[in-house]
């Protein structure tokens, strides 16, 4: 039943009936068809949500059942215990305290990385000479997992917020830099020619072709950079910190506090989800031409 | 970024020999004039001779179609007229003086649409006027007139990605017509479209042209399109390209593109042009 597609609904209308009667009949028919399609869509959506709910409930039930029976509660905790810990942390401000630290590290890293990435991307993108000089260095860093720099940054900048900001900024920098750089190189020469023939000078070409062309690439880089800046901040906190959600996670697991560990993970998942929703929203707001660029660069 | 970027891809190095400008034979009426033009490209270290000893004059207001085997250098000719690059030897003269680099008195319609994807139809059409610093209100009005002329009313706010291939062609046409260039260059503008749409757009182009009578240089590989549109068809040989046949089209104007093919004179011209083209095309295929 549920697999019946809307196309089959349309096919069920006998053709001669449409020809026979006038416009009113046709209008009535199309209204009815639309109602059918709407109804089946609603039904499908309800089924989808029900299915998802069933999975969540099933998982929780399985977790609840197996905890203490199949697996030692010490390892997996239980839904009730996690809920208790989570609400306790929410009420006493623990979550807020660490959340604020992580978000601050992330946002500063995002800002610094974006601005420097765009700047350097343009400078190297526009100058053949400079990009030739820097190419091998860029390749070396491209292959390096940026996360591996975290211990060094902690050594240099301490266990405070600075080392987390720097780590997030470095990850963001490379994502935004690669995309800006690729964007400058991907500028369509045909478009530059068109503007030149129209009498456009260097500044017209920059303003009407090069900058907007790169905007789409930078935007794509930023979409990637947002979740990865969170990774940068968290990893920095996990390695060495006295605040932040990453620290909360490590402290909980370090003290064999399984409900705490799972609670911290749940908060992180929620933050990730929120950022994904933000990125999706921003996609809706941007013009369609912005969405066509492929992203380049490896993040971590 | 700029000078380099103006060369089409694949044509890495342009050889320019200075001082070899034979500019003795000037006809006063010619809008565009090629005098002893030669053009070489360096491609993968190999010297490719594209044009050899080309002499050609296009009078003001003439509709010229260039046909020839693919890759024979027709586009090179247009690019030199647009001042996108210089001849290796000889000279290209435009309205009596050497062609400017780039030549801002031409409008160039290429096979790719080359529309700015971040600009809507209206803003793409306005671009040239904006570069020429025309006041906004005036710019809007002019653009709207041209948009109506090419039949794009109602699509002013659509981005190129939201338009069909035929509509994008219309935007390209509008964008070029809007600044009233003295000369229109068209490089297989309807090449990628299906046959019916091609005919339809060619008819509209002709209608507009019969009103404006700009000098037109139109590259195509379609003999029937060439005859139907042009005052004069020039057949090029294989590379290095020389003029193989210079054939006036003595069909009366205004022309009806849908019925012109049934005229006897059309058939004769078609046969003549096909004969001129055929052996080069066959020779090209055999290689």
């Amino acid at each position: 039943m549920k697999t019946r597609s809307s196309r089959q609904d349309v096919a069920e209308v006998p053709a001669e009936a449409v020809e026979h009667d006038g416009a009113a009949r046709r209008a009535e028919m199309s209204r009815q068809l639309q109602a059918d399609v709407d109804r089946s869509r609603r039904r499908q959506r309800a089924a989808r949500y029900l299915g998802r709910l069933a999975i969540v409930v099933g998982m929780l039930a399985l977790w609840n059942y197996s905890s203490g029976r199949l697996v030692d509660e010490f390892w997996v905790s239980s839904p009730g215990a996690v809920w208790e810990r989570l609400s306790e942390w929410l009420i006493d401000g623990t979550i807020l305290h660490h959340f604020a630290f992580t978000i601050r590290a992330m946002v500063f890293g995002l800002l610094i990385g974006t601005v420097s990435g765009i700047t350097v991307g343009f400078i190297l993108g526009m100058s053949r000479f400079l990009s030739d000089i820097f190419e091998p260095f860029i390749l070396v860093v491209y292959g390096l997992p940026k996360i591996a720099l975290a211990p060094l940054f902690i050594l240099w900048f301490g266990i405070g917020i600075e080392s987390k900001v720097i780590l997030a900024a470095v990850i963001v920098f490379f994502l935004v830099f690669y995309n800006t750089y690729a964007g400058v190189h991907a500028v369509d020469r045909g478009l530059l020619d068109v503007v030149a023939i129209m009498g456009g000078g260097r500044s017209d070409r920059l303003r009407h072709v090069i900058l907007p062309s790169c905007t789409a690439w930078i935007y794509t880089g930023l979409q990637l950079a947002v979740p990865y800046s969170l990774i940068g901040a968290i990893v920095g906190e996990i390695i060495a910190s006295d605040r932040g959600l990453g620290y909360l996670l490590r402290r909980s697991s370090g003290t064999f506090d399984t409900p705490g560990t799972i609670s911290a993970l749940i908060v992180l998942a929620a933050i990730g989800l929120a950022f994904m929703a933000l990125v999706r929203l921003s996609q809706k707001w941007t013009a369609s031409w912005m969405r066509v660029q492929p992203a380049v660069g490896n993040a971590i | 970024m700029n000078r380099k970027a103006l060369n089409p891809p694949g044509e890495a190095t342009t050889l320019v020999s200075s001082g070899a400008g034979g500019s003795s034979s000037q006809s006063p009426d010619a809008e565009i004039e090629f005098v002893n033009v030669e053009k070489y490209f360096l491609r993968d270290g190999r010297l490719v001779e594209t044009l050899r000893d080309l002499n050609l004059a296009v009078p003001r207001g003439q509709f010229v179609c260039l046909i020839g085997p693919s890759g024979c250098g027709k586009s090179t000719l247009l690019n030199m007229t647009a001042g996108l690059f210089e001849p290796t030897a000889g000279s290209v003269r435009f309205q009596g003086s050497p062609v400017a680099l780039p030549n801002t008195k031409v409008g160039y319609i290429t096979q790719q649409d080359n529309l700015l994807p971040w600009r809507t139809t209206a803003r793409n059409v306005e671009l040239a006027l904006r570069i020429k610093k025309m006041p906004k209100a005036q710019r809007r009005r002019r653009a709207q007139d041209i948009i109506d002329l090419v039949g794009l009313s109602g699509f002013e706010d659509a981005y190129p990605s939201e338009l069909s291939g035929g509509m994008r062609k219309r935007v390209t046409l509008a964008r070029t017509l809007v600044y009233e260039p003295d000369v229109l260059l068209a490089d297989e503008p309807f090449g990628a479209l299906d046959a019916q749409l091609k005919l339809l757009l060619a008819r509209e182009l002709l209608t507009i042209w019969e009103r404006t009578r700009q000098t037109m240089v139109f590259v195509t590989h379609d003999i029937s399109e060439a005859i139907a549109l042009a005052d004069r068809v020039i057949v090029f040989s294989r590379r290095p390209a020389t003029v193989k046949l210079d054939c006036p089209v003595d069909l009366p104007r205004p022309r009806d593109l849908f019925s012109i093919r049934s005229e006897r004179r059309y058939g004769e011209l078609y046969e003549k042009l096909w004969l001129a083209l055929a052996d080069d095309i066959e020779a090209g295929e055999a290689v």
Side-chain angles (χ1 to χ4, degrees):
Chain A
M1 258 332 258
K2 262 176 252 152
T3 54
R4 196 178 68 165
S5 75
S6 51
R7 200 179 298 121
Q8 278 169 317
D9 291 340
V10 176
E12 277 166 22
V13 183
E16 60 271 25
V18 179
E19 276 185 67
H20 232 68
D21 306 275
R25 175 104 180 87
R26 290 174 83 108
E28 165 65 13
M29 192 105 62
S30 73
R31 196 196 56 74
Q32 209 163 0
L33 275 180
Q34 188 59 52
D36 277 358
V37 171
D38 285 349
R39 200 175 314 127
S40 87
R41 277 216 191 113
R42 266 202 304 276
R43 217 178 294 139
Q44 278 172 21
R45 196 183 318 150
R48 203 158 54 223
Y49 285 130
L50 269 177
R52 287 173 188 170
L53 188 66
I55 289 177
V56 172
V57 171
M59 297 270 281
L60 285 175
L62 182 68
W63 182 13
N64 199 35
Y65 173 81
S66 54
S67 166
R69 288 194 184 83
L70 306 177
V71 193
D72 190 340
E73 187 173 349
F74 177 79
W75 301 114
V76 297
S77 183
S78 71
V82 169
W83 173 249
E84 222 169 87
R85 174 60 49 86
L86 202 54
S87 43
E88 179 196 322
W89 277 356
L90 274 171
I91 291 162
D92 70 8
T94 307
I95 296 288
L96 189 68
H97 173 77
H98 295 291
F99 170 81
F101 184 85
T102 303
I103 289 290
R104 213 180 316 143
M106 174 189 170
V107 169
F108 279 126
L110 202 55
L111 280 177
I112 296 169
T114 303
V115 172
S116 52
I118 291 175
T119 312
V120 179
F122 264 108
I123 292 172
L124 292 197
M126 307 277 277
S127 162
R128 180 69 183 272
F129 176 69
L130 286 179
S131 70
D132 279 351
I133 291 181
F134 280 100
E135 195 188 70
F137 304 108
I138 294 167
L139 278 178
V140 167
V141 186
Y142 186 89
L144 178 78
K146 261 66 87 185
I147 291 295
L149 295 170
L152 188 66
F153 289 156
I154 285 159
L155 199 67
W156 286 350
F157 304 105
I159 63 163
I161 197 165
E162 296 85 355
S163 53
K164 285 85 201 170
V165 171
I166 301 280
L167 184 60
V170 165
I171 293 174
V172 170
F173 168 83
F174 279 99
L175 277 173
V176 175
F177 162 74
Y178 291 134
N179 278 281
T180 310
Y181 183 76
V184 175
H185 278 255
V187 169
D188 188 340
R189 289 175 173 191
L191 300 184
L192 290 170
D193 283 352
V194 161
V195 171
I197 290 174
M198 285 175 178
R202 193 189 171 85
S203 65
D204 288 310
R205 287 200 293 271
L206 190 69
R207 179 154 158 216
H208 295 302
V209 183
I210 299 171
L211 286 180
S213 170
C214 293
T215 309
W217 286 81
I218 293 169
Y219 175 71
T220 315
L222 268 180
Q223 280 190 321
L224 279 179
V226 169
Y228 279 113
S229 63
L230 180 62
I231 295 180
I234 293 293
V235 168
E237 288 164 5
I238 288 178
I239 292 177
S241 182
D242 54 6
R243 272 182 82 176
L245 292 170
Y247 160 74
L248 187 64
L249 188 64
R250 192 187 51 99
R251 188 192 67 183
S252 304
S253 87
T255 54
F256 302 102
D257 174 8
T258 313
T261 310
I262 294 174
S263 297
L265 282 174
I266 290 174
V267 173
L268 281 177
I271 296 174
L273 213 59
F275 278 115
M276 256 166 54
L278 272 181
V279 167
R280 280 208 187 160
L281 261 180
S282 82
Q283 277 178 333
K284 267 189 198 159
W285 293 329
T286 45
S288 58
W289 61 265
M290 283 262 233
R291 286 174 228 145
V292 295
Q293 311 300 338
V296 294
N298 71 347
I300 325 171
Chain B
M1 194 73 228
N2 20 338
R3 202 65 249 155
K4 243 183 306 161
L6 287 176
N7 275 336
E11 285 161 351
T13 312
T14 307
L15 297 179
V16 180
S17 83
S18 51
S23 56
S24 46
S25 62
Q26 287 174 39
S27 40
D29 220 22
E31 184 117 56
I32 311 163
E33 207 175 359
F34 292 85
V35 185
N36 304 323
V37 167
E38 286 176 29
K39 182 70 189 175
Y40 294 85
F41 289 109
L42 202 54
R43 194 168 291 158
D44 303 328
R46 228 161 35 86
L47 202 58
V48 179
E49 187 179 12
T50 311
L51 295 174
R52 175 185 288 172
D53 196 27
L54 181 83
N55 284 285
L56 182 67
V58 180
R60 183 157 305 150
Q62 192 172 54
F63 197 132
V64 186
C65 275
L66 312 180
I67 59 177
S70 51
C72 78
K74 294 165 296 191
S75 305
T76 306
L77 213 95
L78 291 192
N79 283 335
M80 286 195 292
T81 313
L84 294 180
F85 43 75
E86 295 177 89
T88 312
S91 69
V92 182
R93 302 182 67 81
F94 187 85
Q95 298 178 340
S97 40
V99 72
L101 303 170
N103 185 355
T104 56
K105 287 181 175 166
V106 301
Y108 197 168
I109 304 169
T110 47
Q111 189 163 7
Q112 308 85 23
D113 306 312
N114 280 341
L115 294 170
L116 305 186
W118 41 85
R119 291 186 150 240
T120 58
T121 300
R123 281 168 46 76
N124 259 297
V125 174
E126 280 176 37
L127 181 62
L129 306 179
R130 168 144 191 208
I131 287 172
K132 290 177 177 20
K133 303 209 166 32
M134 182 186 278
K136 197 170 185 173
Q138 201 182 342
R139 199 164 82 202
R140 285 273 153 79
R141 221 174 317 119
R142 271 279 283 287
Q144 190 61 53
D145 287 347
I146 301 283
I147 288 171
D148 294 342
L149 181 71
V150 300
L152 279 173
S153 319
F155 293 95
E156 290 85 354
D157 295 328
Y159 285 96
S161 58
E162 298 163 338
L163 299 174
S164 70
M167 286 162 118
R168 282 203 295 271
K169 274 292 161 228
R170 288 169 200 264
V171 182
T172 313
L173 190 62
R175 174 185 72 181
T176 313
L177 291 172
V178 76
Y179 62 101
E180 295 171 347
D182 295 342
V183 172
L184 276 183
L185 308 174
D187 191 359
E188 302 196 24
F190 310 137
L193 304 176
D194 65 67
Q196 289 86 349
L197 194 56
K198 193 172 168 175
L199 197 59
L200 206 68
L201 283 174
R203 189 178 64 161
E204 283 178 29
L205 177 71
L206 199 60
T207 312
I208 293 168
W209 179 80
E210 274 166 356
R211 212 181 313 163
T212 60
R213 294 279 175 168
Q214 283 151 307
T215 308
M216 174 79 101
V217 185
F218 190 103
V219 168
T220 176
H221 56 257
D222 182 343
I223 300 178
S224 43
E225 188 177 55
I227 302 171
L229 291 172
D231 296 317
R232 174 187 179 196
V233 179
I234 291 164
V235 182
F236 283 94
S237 68
R238 251 181 318 143
R239 208 170 51 210
T242 49
V243 175
K244 198 163 183 197
L245 179 70
D246 189 340
C247 173
V249 178
D250 45 7
L251 292 163
R253 285 187 194 276
R255 295 176 187 168
D256 178 357
L257 286 199
F258 293 122
S259 64
I260 200 168
R261 287 165 199 235
S262 53
E263 283 181 35
R264 198 174 50 85
R265 184 70 189 130
Y266 171 91
E268 291 168 10
L269 286 167
Y270 192 98
E271 193 163 30
K272 189 173 165 190
L273 291 170
W274 172 247
L275 280 175
L277 253 179
D279 40 320
D280 266 330
I281 289 178
E282 278 162 21
E285 288 300 311
V287 171

